Amino acid sequence: TVLLKTLITLGYLNFDRRERLYFPTVKVTSLGDWVPRALFGSGRVIEAMRDVHAATGETVSINTKNDIYLQYVQIVQSVHALRFHVEEGAMRLLTQSAVGWLLMSTMPDDKIDNVIRRANIATPKAADRVKVGDMMEKVRKIRAQGYCSVENIPFLGGATICVLLPVTIQGQPVVLGMGGALERIRQNHDRYLAVLQRAAKTVVPSDPFDQP
């Protein structure tokens, strides 16, 4: 009761005394306004994501590492009729997507080995588990080319292209990713990659401690 009364005083709840009902006010929507600023600082991370979406219409996301998972921190959904929907905040094992592979490429080899083994334990289907040697080969290729592009992972009939951003979120690397229907991504691969790389170059760390 004390908590509810405090929230009324602060303007976050509306109280109907006759019905004895509490209901959130519009002010509740402002509670999370500080989160993007805390995560992305004053850089152009969100703007870069929107620039890529405006140029491609594909699903574009900002992603980071959360233990042995990648987490979709922010997403702008595709405008195309054929698309793959991913929820903001969703998590996927690092070994199961292009974004995860790119995130792993920023780690030392011994840590990657540990992540792969732990991810395999957390992977229910044996067929989806990866071999350490195969994964390390993919990571070395990604390091050499500076981006990751994969077809039919994590969705059959889909494709992903992603690049690293020159910032971190709570000390973790950040990836700008784009995904969509395989044929559409394949036909536009070089243009889409150039759009992602251009957008990444516009992102400037807002603070020296944000640099990877």
Side-chain angles (χ1 to χ4, degrees):
T1 302
V2 172
L3 176 59
L4 290 171
K5 287 181 178 178
T6 301
L7 291 173
I8 292 171
T9 302
L10 293 173
Y12 291 110
L13 287 181
N14 179 280
F15 180 54
D16 184 330
R17 187 172 298 277
R18 189 180 54 146
E19 299 292 336
R20 301 186 64 81
L21 292 175
Y22 295 89
F23 195 80
T25 68
V26 174
K27 190 175 179 180
V28 172
T29 61
S30 68
L31 286 173
D33 286 350
W34 62 274
V35 176
R37 292 192 298 274
L39 291 178
F40 309 122
S42 58
R44 284 197 74 257
V45 176
I46 301 298
E47 288 82 356
M49 179 179 67
R50 290 173 179 160
D51 288 347
V52 173
H53 184 264
T56 67
E58 303 289 356
T59 298
V60 185
S61 60
I62 296 169
N63 318 270
T64 191
K65 187 169 73 69
N66 189 341
D67 192 28
I68 60 173
Y69 299 89
L70 77 92
Q71 186 160 24
Y72 300 93
V73 177
Q74 193 119 2
I75 295 177
V76 180
Q77 301 293 348
S78 172
V79 299
H80 296 289
L82 183 57
R83 58 185 177 177
F84 297 89
H85 186 84
V86 180
E87 294 288 344
E88 277 188 5
M91 297 203 293
R92 190 182 306 279
L93 286 164
L94 290 169
T95 54
Q96 303 299 317
S97 80
V99 172
W101 299 357
L102 185 55
L103 286 167
M104 284 195 293
S105 74
T106 67
M107 307 177 201
D109 288 357
D110 59 339
K111 188 169 183 181
I112 295 174
D113 182 286
N114 178 264
V115 166
I116 294 170
R117 295 180 191 280
R118 290 171 58 210
N120 279 340
I121 293 171
T123 303
K125 295 181 181 178
D128 293 333
R129 294 167 194 156
V130 302
K131 294 180 179 179
V132 174
D134 292 344
M135 191 75 258
M136 291 303 301
E137 186 176 340
K138 288 184 174 70
V139 167
R140 281 190 286 269
K141 180 181 177 182
I142 291 166
R143 285 172 177 162
Q145 64 187 18
Y147 67 91
C148 186
S149 176
V150 176
E151 297 181 352
N152 292 312
I153 295 176
F155 305 111
L156 188 64
T160 303
I161 309 173
C162 51
V163 298
L164 283 166
L165 293 181
V167 292
T168 61
I169 294 178
Q170 298 299 305
Q172 298 294 345
V174 182
V175 168
L176 178 64
M178 177 181 62
L182 173 56
E183 289 304 317
R184 193 169 60 243
I185 298 290
R186 186 180 286 169
Q187 291 170 8
N188 294 279
H189 181 276
D190 292 346
R191 181 174 73 85
Y192 281 4
L193 175 59
V195 168
L196 282 165
Q197 291 173 329
R198 268 198 311 272
K201 287 179 181 177
T202 68
V203 177
V204 178
S206 58
D207 186 281
F209 296 104
D210 286 340
Q211 298 181 30

